């Protein structure tokens, strides 16, 4: 660059004006002097016109820079003005890249090479590197031949592809920070004037301001957007918190008054506008989620007895799902409280049953029991005893509580047997109860019952009768079967007998009468049973059987000879009566009368139902 200091344009104009004034006032004006003065005036006018053009360009650029939103267009226009003002072939802008530590071409005007618009020049290389290092203008009349520059083949190839010879570059500096450089170039050797460099520096200063303003705007805009996002997020969280607080109050109210699962489902429907149900898990279909996320399913409680199913009309958001999780937690708390209340109720009932069967209960205790459990011991009750060979009484008690649920009854143990006291006429389906217990226990359960009309005074004896009945059923091998057979008191004498002992007893007492080879065995057994049922009255027995009296007498005589029975010996008669009764039980269990008067033929491998009662 030419280091000489040029005379300011305004001073040159003042001297020219003084010279013209002297020539005009000189009477001896020469032609050559006038010609020289006119030429100087013409040059001054041209210089002034150029200066006005530069000022107009700077003003236009400054005006456009005010709108930082279109900084890209401003940079393009500034480069174009720089090219036009210096009447150059090419103008371009290269911005500093801190990551790559070099300048990269950002905006070009007059370029002919497709790769020049993305040319990257490392720091210290070429014109861009020199300007960025020195941070002052640099001028070259012939780039490729200038030995002051550090040449890089790749960069030189980019310059050569554009045909660039003369170049001038000025730095872009704002707040003492190097931002890049502005260049104009020609495809011929050219010497640039100081005015050219000053003009380019003015444009560079404005471009630096534009870049700085753009960066400030971007930072402020980013900060504003972050603030807006934070505000929206905070506002959404505030709305969600208010919603959760309202929900919490309603859930506390429902749980506090021991409400129902239906109330919780109603809250879901109101909050989400969805359909919600608590259904038994056994009846709930498999968990399914639709692609739009509008369905929700969750099991409730430790044992997952209940399942919450929700079907919404719109996809469930994260907030919606958290709400549903709160509903599930509230449902679990509600179920736990109900379970604790039920445990307390059962515990009070168990203690009351033990006191009733041991020391008895006072009238005050009876009233308290009725208020707490709904059991009124002033009414007739049916005592039901349950026994199973491979199941502990404690386990049967637990099964009974699940079967009876909230029904008003007393459940406990007595004489190592599970017991239940149920109000007479309460509508307990013994057949269904028998079937349920067989399934839950995994093996046949013997059920014995006894009616207790005065629970406060006779409950202990009734409990013993029910227990003895269950034991007799076990002895007869009929556990798990159901019929309406009643056990007479004398049968209780055999309650501790084993099944094989009973079979031996029947065989010893009846012998030939039950021998399958005896063709008349059936008639003889029927005759003997009818004779006992009519109180040893042969006339009534023959009428019952529809046979002649003499035939009846002949059969009795034959029975007496076959089994050695003397009908005058009461002990022998009782012995045979018990055997006939046991034989009847065994035969009747092979063709059982089920509930509702329906007969069912037993099938191998299935358990039928038998209940023995003692009134």
């Amino acid at each position: 660059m030419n280091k000489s200091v040029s005379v300011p344009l305004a001073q040159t104009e003042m001297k020219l004006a003084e010279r013209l004034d002297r020539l005009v006032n000189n009477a001896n004006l020469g032609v050559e002097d006038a010609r020289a003065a006119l030429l100087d005036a013409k040059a001054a006018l041209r210089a002034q016109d150029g200066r006005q053009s530069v000022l107009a360009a700077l003003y236009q650029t400054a005006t456009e820079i005010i709108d930082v939103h279109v900084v890209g267009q401003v940079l393009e226009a500034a480069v174009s003005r720089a090219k036009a003002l210096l009447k150059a072939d090419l103008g371009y802008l290269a911005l500093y890249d801190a990551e790559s530590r070099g300048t990269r071409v950002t905006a070009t005007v007059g370029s002919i090479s497709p790769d020049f618009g993305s040319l990257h020049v490392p720091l210290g290389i070429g014109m861009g590197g020199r300007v960025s290092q020195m941070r002052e203008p640099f001028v070259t009349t012939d780039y490729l031949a200038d030995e002051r520059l550090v040449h890089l083949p790749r960069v030189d190839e980019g310059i050569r592809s554009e045909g660039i010879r003369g170049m001038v570059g000025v730095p872009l500096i704002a707040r003492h920070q190097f931002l890049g450089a502005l260049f104009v170039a020609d495809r011929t050797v050219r010497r640039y004037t100081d005015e050219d460099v000053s003009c380019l520096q003015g444009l560079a200063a404005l471009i630096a301001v534009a870049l700085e303003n753009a960066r400030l705007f971007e930072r402020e805009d980013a900060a504003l957007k972050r603030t807006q996002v934070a505000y929206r997020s905070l506002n959404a969280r505030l709305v969600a918190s208010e919603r959760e607080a309202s929900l919490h109050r309603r859930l506390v109210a429902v749980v506090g008054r021991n409400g129902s699962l239906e109330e919780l489902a109603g809250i879901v429907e109101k909050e989400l506008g969805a359909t919600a149900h608590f259904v038994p898990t056994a009846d709930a279909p498999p968990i399914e989620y639709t692609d739009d996320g509008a369905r929700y399913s969750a099991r409730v409680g430790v044992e997952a007895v209940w399942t919450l199913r929700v079907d919404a009309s719109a996809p469930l958001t994260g907030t919606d799902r958290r709400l549903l999780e709160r509903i599930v937690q509230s449902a679990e708390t509600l179920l736990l409280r109900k379970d604790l209340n039920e445990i307390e109720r059962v515990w009070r009932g168990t203690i009351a049953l033990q006191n009733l069967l041991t020391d008895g209960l006072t009238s005050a205790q009876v009233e308290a029991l009725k208020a707490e459990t709904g059991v009124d011991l002033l009414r007739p009750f049916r005592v039901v005893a349950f026994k199973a060979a491979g199941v502990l009484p404690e386990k049967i008690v637990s099964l009974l509580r699940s079967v009876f649920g909230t029904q008003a009854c007393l459940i406990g143990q007595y004489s190592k047997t599970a017991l239940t006291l149920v109000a007479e006429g309460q509508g307990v389906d013994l057949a269904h109860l028998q079937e349920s217990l067989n399934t839950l226990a995994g093996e046949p359960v013997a059920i014995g019952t006894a009616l207790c009309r005065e629970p406060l005074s006779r409950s202990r004896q009734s409990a013993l009768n029910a227990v003895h009945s269950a034991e007799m059923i076990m002895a007869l091998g009929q556990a798990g079967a159901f019929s309406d057979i009643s056990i007479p008191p004398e049968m209780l004498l055999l309650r501790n007998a084993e099944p094989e002992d009973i079979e031996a007893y029947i065989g010893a007492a009846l012998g030939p009468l039950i021998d399958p080879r005896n063709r008349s065995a059936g008639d003889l057994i029927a005759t003997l049973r009818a004779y006992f049922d009519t109180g040893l009255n042969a006339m009534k027995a023959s009428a019952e059987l529809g046979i002649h009296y003499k035939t009846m007498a002949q059969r009795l005589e034959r029975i007496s000879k076959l089994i050695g029975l003397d009908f005058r010996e009461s002990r022998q008669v009782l012995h045979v009566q018990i055997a006939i009764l046991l034989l009847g039980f065994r035969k009747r269990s092979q063709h059982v009368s089920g509930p509702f008067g329906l007969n069912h033929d037993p099938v191998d491998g299935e358990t039928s139902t038998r209940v023995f009662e003692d009134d």
Side-chain angles (χ1 to χ4, degrees):
M1 187 178 73
N2 188 1
K3 297 295 185 178
S4 62
V5 179
S6 61
V7 179
L9 185 60
Q11 185 178 354
T12 301
E13 292 174 351
M14 290 178 63
K15 290 182 178 180
L16 178 60
E18 292 176 357
R19 182 180 177 186
L20 290 174
D21 186 58
R22 286 197 303 272
L23 288 174
V24 170
N25 295 323
N26 189 356
N28 299 318
L29 178 63
V31 175
E32 293 300 327
D33 292 335
R35 184 188 301 274
L38 290 175
L39 291 175
D40 290 341
K42 181 180 179 181
L45 291 174
R46 286 182 178 178
Q48 185 178 9
D49 184 62
R51 183 182 180 188
Q52 289 177 348
S53 298
V54 170
L55 291 175
L58 293 177
Y59 175 78
Q60 185 65 27
T61 303
T63 303
E64 292 175 350
I65 286 175
I66 295 175
D67 188 1
V68 295
H69 297 282
V70 289
V71 65
Q73 297 177 10
V74 172
L75 297 180
E76 193 82 20
V79 172
S80 179
R81 289 195 181 94
K83 173 180 174 295
L85 287 173
L86 271 66
K87 297 180 176 58
D89 297 326
L90 173 68
Y92 69 94
L93 183 71
L95 296 182
Y96 177 67
D97 185 1
E99 293 185 2
S100 62
R101 293 187 60 78
T103 58
R104 187 178 300 277
V105 176
T106 305
T108 63
V109 177
S111 175
I112 60 176
S113 173
D115 298 329
F116 188 78
S118 59
L119 183 63
H120 177 267
V121 181
L123 201 64
I125 303 298
M127 284 282 290
R130 186 65 179 264
V131 171
S132 62
Q133 274 188 334
M134 298 174 61
R135 298 195 177 187
E136 62 182 24
F138 188 84
V139 179
T140 178
T141 58
D142 192 348
Y143 179 92
L144 295 176
D146 196 334
E147 296 181 354
R148 296 174 299 168
L149 301 175
V150 179
H151 293 274
L152 186 68
R154 176 176 59 80
V155 177
D156 286 357
E157 182 61 30
I159 297 294
R160 188 177 291 108
S161 65
E162 285 289 341
I164 294 175
R165 301 290 296 277
M167 286 185 66
V168 58
V170 293
L172 305 178
I173 298 176
R175 299 178 184 272
H176 306 290
Q177 183 180 2
F178 177 72
L179 304 179
L182 176 63
F183 301 92
V184 293
D186 288 276
R187 295 183 175 90
T188 59
V189 175
R190 176 177 174 179
R191 295 183 180 278
Y192 298 94
T193 66
D194 292 340
E195 286 76 12
D196 294 336
V197 175
S198 298
C199 174
L200 203 61
Q201 282 182 300
L203 283 174
L206 293 176
I207 292 173
V209 172
L211 289 173
E212 182 66 13
N213 288 346
R215 292 178 178 179
L216 289 174
F217 176 80
E218 288 177 356
R219 287 197 293 267
E220 293 297 328
D221 186 60
L224 177 61
K225 290 180 178 179
R226 289 195 298 269
T227 303
Q228 291 173 342
V229 170
Y231 171 77
R232 288 193 294 267
S233 176
L234 181 61
N235 187 61
R237 291 182 61 180
L238 178 61
V239 172
S241 298
E242 293 177 350
R243 181 188 186 191
E244 290 180 0
S246 175
L247 175 67
H248 178 73
R249 289 192 294 270
R250 280 181 286 172
L251 293 180
V252 168
V254 172
V255 174
R257 65 172 180 271
N258 288 328
S260 63
L261 297 179
E262 288 75 14
E263 290 183 80
L264 296 179
I267 293 176
V268 174
E269 293 182 347
K270 183 177 180 181
E271 286 290 331
L272 303 183
T275 302
H277 300 285
F278 284 92
V279 297
T281 300
D283 300 334
I287 298 176
E288 297 178 357
Y289 291 103
T290 55
D291 293 338
D292 58 4
R295 304 186 70 185
Y296 179 87
S297 179
R299 295 187 174 183
V300 182
V302 178
E303 298 182 357
V305 178
W306 293 93
T307 296
L308 172 62
R309 298 303 305 266
V310 178
D311 294 295
S313 57
L316 297 171
T317 64
T319 303
D320 296 336
R321 293 188 178 274
R322 287 194 295 273
L323 180 149
L324 293 174
E325 291 172 1
R326 295 282 300 276
I327 293 292
V328 171
Q329 293 173 355
S330 299
E332 291 177 343
T333 303
L334 191 61
L335 292 175
L336 179 60
R337 292 191 63 175
K338 290 183 178 296
D339 288 342
L340 292 175
N341 292 337
E342 180 61 21
I343 290 173
E344 183 178 3
R345 187 184 71 84
V346 170
W347 177 78
R348 292 180 182 277
T350 301
I351 297 299
L353 178 61
Q354 294 294 331
N355 293 337
L356 177 65
L357 299 178
T358 53
D359 302 328
L361 296 176
T362 64
S363 57
Q365 290 173 326
V366 170
E367 290 297 328
L369 180 65
K370 181 179 179 181
E372 293 169 356
T373 64
V375 176
D376 185 5
L377 292 178
L378 300 180
R379 299 173 52 193
F381 269 76
R382 181 162 294 276
V383 184
V384 188
F386 306 87
K387 292 187 74 72
V391 184
L392 295 175
E394 293 82 359
K395 177 64 175 179
I396 298 179
V397 167
S398 177
L399 297 178
L400 290 172
R401 286 171 180 160
S402 64
V403 170
F404 281 93
T406 59
Q407 185 174 348
C409 63
L410 298 182
I411 300 175
Q413 291 187 55
Y414 182 68
S415 186
K416 298 182 180 180
T417 305
L419 282 183
T420 300
L421 268 66
V422 184
E424 181 69 4
Q426 196 165 329
V428 176
D429 187 343
L430 292 177
H432 178 70
L433 177 61
Q434 178 78 78
E435 182 179 358
S436 299
L437 287 177
N438 289 346
T439 301
L440 294 174
E443 66 171 87
V445 178
I447 300 179
T449 72
L451 179 62
C452 182
R453 300 189 182 280
E454 298 178 1
L456 293 181
S457 60
R458 297 184 56 82
S459 57
R460 185 184 308 172
Q461 184 58 47
S462 297
L464 287 173
N465 290 343
V467 170
H468 294 161
S469 297
E471 291 174 346
M472 175 58 67
I473 295 171
M474 296 290 292
L476 291 173
Q478 300 304 319
F482 171 83
S483 80
D484 57 357
I485 299 173
S486 297
I487 295 182
E490 59 268 21
M491 290 301 299
L492 300 178
L493 299 175
L494 298 175
R495 65 180 181 273
N496 294 322
E498 298 294 333
E500 55 270 19
D501 296 332
I502 294 177
E503 291 296 326
Y505 183 91
I506 294 174
L510 301 179
L513 297 183
I514 58 175
D515 190 342
R517 294 171 298 179
N518 186 356
R519 295 182 178 180
S520 60
D523 293 338
L524 296 179
I525 291 295
T527 299
L528 191 56
R529 183 176 289 113
Y531 186 57
F532 287 148
D533 290 343
T534 58
L536 305 181
N537 189 322
M539 184 68 72
K540 289 184 179 181
S542 62
E544 289 286 339
L545 294 174
I547 60 176
H548 195 274
Y549 173 76
K550 289 184 177 181
T551 303
M552 182 70 183
Q554 291 173 357
R555 290 183 180 181
L556 291 175
E557 184 177 358
R558 185 178 179 189
I559 291 171
S560 180
K561 290 179 180 180
L562 287 174
I563 63 175
L565 173 59
D566 185 352
F567 288 101
R568 292 172 298 179
E569 291 290 334
S570 59
R571 293 190 60 178
Q572 291 186 28
V573 171
L574 177 59
H575 184 68
V576 174
Q577 279 182 318
I578 292 175
I580 288 292
L581 184 59
L582 291 174
L583 182 64
F585 291 160
R586 188 177 65 181
K587 287 183 177 180
R588 290 180 66 179
S589 67
Q590 297 174 359
H591 187 70
V592 177
S593 173
F596 312 112
L598 299 178
N599 293 329
H600 304 277
D601 293 327
V603 180
D604 290 341
E606 295 184 356
T607 57
S608 50
T609 313
R610 175 185 289 272
V611 174
F612 290 86
E613 300 181 356
D614 179 15
D615 292 335

